Amino acid sequence: MRRSFSQKLSKVTHLILVQSLLMTASTAFSETLTLQQALSEASHSPQVSKAEAYRDEIVWKKVEAVSAFLPTITGNINYLSNKKYALTDINLGGSPASVPQIVPTTNYTLAARWNVFDGFASTNRFWAAQAFEESANLEYDWAKFQTDRQVLLAYYKVLAAEQVKLVAEQNLKALKDHTKDVEALKKAGMSTQYDLLRTQVQYSEAEAEAVNADDQIANARNKLAEVLGKDVEDRTPTGNLPVLTADLISKKKTTAKKLDLLALQKRSEGLNYSAHAMNRHWIPKVSLFADYSFYNNRTDEFDYQDEAFRESYLIGATLSWELFNGFGSMAKSGQAEAQALQLEKTTRMADLKAKNDLDFWTRKYNYYISLYKSKTTDIERSNEAARLAKVGRKAGMRTNTEVLDAQADVFRSKAAQINAQIGAIEALVNIELATGEAYYSFIQ
């Protein structure tokens, strides 16, 4: 059993060594990625690009709303290739006669229309478009802020995963050396089978942790690629995990300036204006018009230089009153009002969730800050304990099991410190997302 385990241990160690060398070589030649580069690339991510496209759409809708205040001008050219005139019967002194209704063979027309008054429906549509534009701008700013925070968190999770992997590899190496020592001491009769079995169990656990560390790196890289809008992200992040303090969130926190909530409020305001615009159908509308025609009803020529062409024009005003349209405008107004009410409730729900998230992540942040401090102290204590255990073993006062436990405490404390550090970063990012404000400048 001891030989089979030694052979297995030798093969696993060889594989780990080869993998480490390959990773070291690939890292040496791989491109690095700074946090500033990642944030710069985030401005072109799908989430931000989508918000930007929506903002452009709303800008064009505002242009459409402005067009209601401007006159419309249309031009037409009509040419009749074949015709048969309609006849009108008239009585001229007892002698009936049929007179053809002559229609111009060629007709150039130019018409202008200008709506002067429509019950302020166009005005309300413009105000609605303006509110929608402000909402789209807020959503765009929120998308940028949200994406930046997601990139920050994903970037540091990759760094944390790599640091945890380094700790796992150090732990695996230490257990390998310790296993060799225990085997040698057992042969010399200075160690027991219990010590060897316990070492083997911890080595198996360390192997699993090393595999899990690789999985965590892969998952973190995939998440970073996702928020950056890429299929893969193989570049190596640089830098260190920031050390956060409790006083970062000591100032007053509120969700009142949260951009996504403000965007929802503006969109609801725009829908209310739209409802008012659709509800103006019962007000009379006044418009001015002018029509000009250059026509030929004498010959079949279409050349405007022909002497047969003549001119005519009309200038006037129109008063129109839509008395009944089958409740269509009323239905559209009701839909807009209902949508506005839905957005108001959605805004309220989002505000409540943001406040709950703020409270939850504030507690988490304080917990991780406290945990980071305690684990920093634990690292110092466990290092000293491991040193004393090794000295005691040489003096015959400590066992191999006690040395092994002390060394395991060192690596557990290091891993816990890293996890507490990334936990504090994640909590801070979520606090910033809950309030819509940046509390820490990660780019120093």
Side-chain angles (χ1 to χ4, degrees), residues 103 132 134 147 174:
V103 178
F132 288 143
E134 293 179 20
T147 303

Side-chain angles (χ1 to χ4, degrees), residues 180-375:
K180 291 181 178 179
D181 293 342
V182 171
E183 289 177 345
L185 291 172
K186 186 174 181 298
K187 290 179 180 179
M190 300 175 63
S191 182
T192 65
Q193 182 67 17
Y194 171 79
D195 292 330
L196 180 59
L197 292 174
R198 186 176 178 83
T199 304
Q200 292 172 347
V201 168
Q202 292 204 10
Y203 187 84
S204 298
E205 292 177 355
E207 283 183 313
E209 288 300 322
V211 174
N212 183 59
D214 286 329
D215 293 340
Q216 292 299 322
I217 291 177
N219 293 335
R221 285 185 176 276
N222 290 338
K223 183 62 179 178
L224 179 58
E226 178 186 342
V227 295
L228 289 176
K230 298 183 176 182
D231 294 328
V232 293
E233 181 53 72
D234 296 327
R235 290 173 295 180
T236 304
T238 60
N240 298 312
L241 295 175
V243 179
L244 306 178
T245 57
D247 59 349
L248 280 176
I249 60 171
S250 60
K251 61 182 180 179
K252 183 179 179 181
K253 300 177 292 295
T254 177
T255 61
K257 296 182 180 180
K258 201 163 182 282
L259 296 178
D260 58 332
L261 298 181
L262 296 176
L264 287 173
Q265 293 172 4
K266 280 296 179 181
R267 192 185 298 182
S268 176
E269 181 182 329
L271 285 171
N272 283 322
Y273 282 127
S274 297
H276 294 326
M278 296 170 187
N279 203 25
R280 302 283 173 163
H281 64 281
W282 51 270
I283 299 178
K285 301 173 180 59
V286 179
S287 60
L288 303 177
F289 69 89
D291 293 306
Y292 172 80
S293 296
F294 187 59
Y295 65 96
N296 179 5
N297 62 350
R298 297 177 180 177
T299 68
D300 292 335
E301 297 298 328
F302 58 86
D303 187 357
Y304 67 91
Q305 294 180 351
D306 194 295
E307 294 180 355
F309 276 83
R310 290 181 286 187
E311 296 179 327
S312 67
Y313 63 86
L314 298 172
I315 299 176
T318 301
L319 176 65
S320 61
W321 194 353
E322 191 176 70
L323 300 177
F324 181 72
N325 66 355
F327 304 106
S329 298
M330 186 181 297
K332 291 180 179 179
S333 177
Q335 292 174 34
E337 289 178 353
Q339 291 173 359
L341 180 60
Q342 292 175 48
L343 278 179
E344 290 176 5
K345 300 306 178 183
T346 300
T347 304
R348 176 59 178 163
M349 293 165 57
D351 186 35
L352 291 174
K353 183 179 183 303
K355 290 177 179 177
N356 288 335
D357 288 346
L358 176 59
D359 181 71
F360 174 82
W361 288 109
T362 298
R363 296 176 186 276
K364 281 289 186 182
Y365 181 79
N366 291 327
Y367 162 73
Y368 282 121
I369 291 297
S370 176
L371 182 63
Y372 175 79
K373 291 180 179 178
S374 66
K375 290 305 173 183

Side-chain angles (χ1 to χ4, degrees), residues 155-156 159 163 238-243 421 425:
Y155 183 90
Y156 283 123
L159 277 178
Q163 292 184 12
T238 60
N240 298 312
L241 295 175
V243 179
Q421 205 168 357
I425 295 173

Side-chain angles (χ1 to χ4, degrees), residues 7 43 55 74 103-104 141 167 185 212-213 215 221 243 277 279 285 332 340 351 355 376 380 384 409 412 417 424:
Q7 293 175 348
S43 61
R55 184 183 63 176
T74 57
V103 178
D141 293 338
V167 172
L185 291 172
N212 183 59
D215 293 340
R221 285 185 176 276
V243 179
N279 203 25
K285 301 173 180 59
K332 291 180 179 179
D351 186 35
K355 290 177 179 177
T376 301
E380 297 176 359
E384 179 63 14
D409 287 339
R412 278 195 295 264
Q417 183 196 44

Side-chain angles (χ1 to χ4, degrees), residues 67-123:
S67 67
F69 298 99
L70 303 175
T72 59
I73 301 174
T74 57
N76 289 293
I77 300 177
N78 294 325
Y79 176 76
L80 302 180
S81 61
N82 195 6
K83 57 186 177 292
K84 181 179 181 180
Y85 294 127
L87 301 178
T88 302
D89 295 330
I90 60 175
N91 192 343
L92 300 175
S95 299
S98 297
V99 180
Q101 299 178 2
I102 299 177
V103 178
T105 300
T106 305
N107 192 8
Y108 298 91
T109 61
L110 190 65
R113 294 289 184 275
W114 188 13
N115 294 324
V116 179
F117 179 75
D118 61 357
F120 301 106
S122 297
T123 304

Side-chain angles (χ1 to χ4, degrees), residues 5-16:
F5 178 76
S6 300
Q7 293 175 348
K8 179 182 177 182
L9 178 61
S10 177
K11 291 180 180 179
V12 171
T13 304
H14 178 71
L15 289 174
I16 293 175

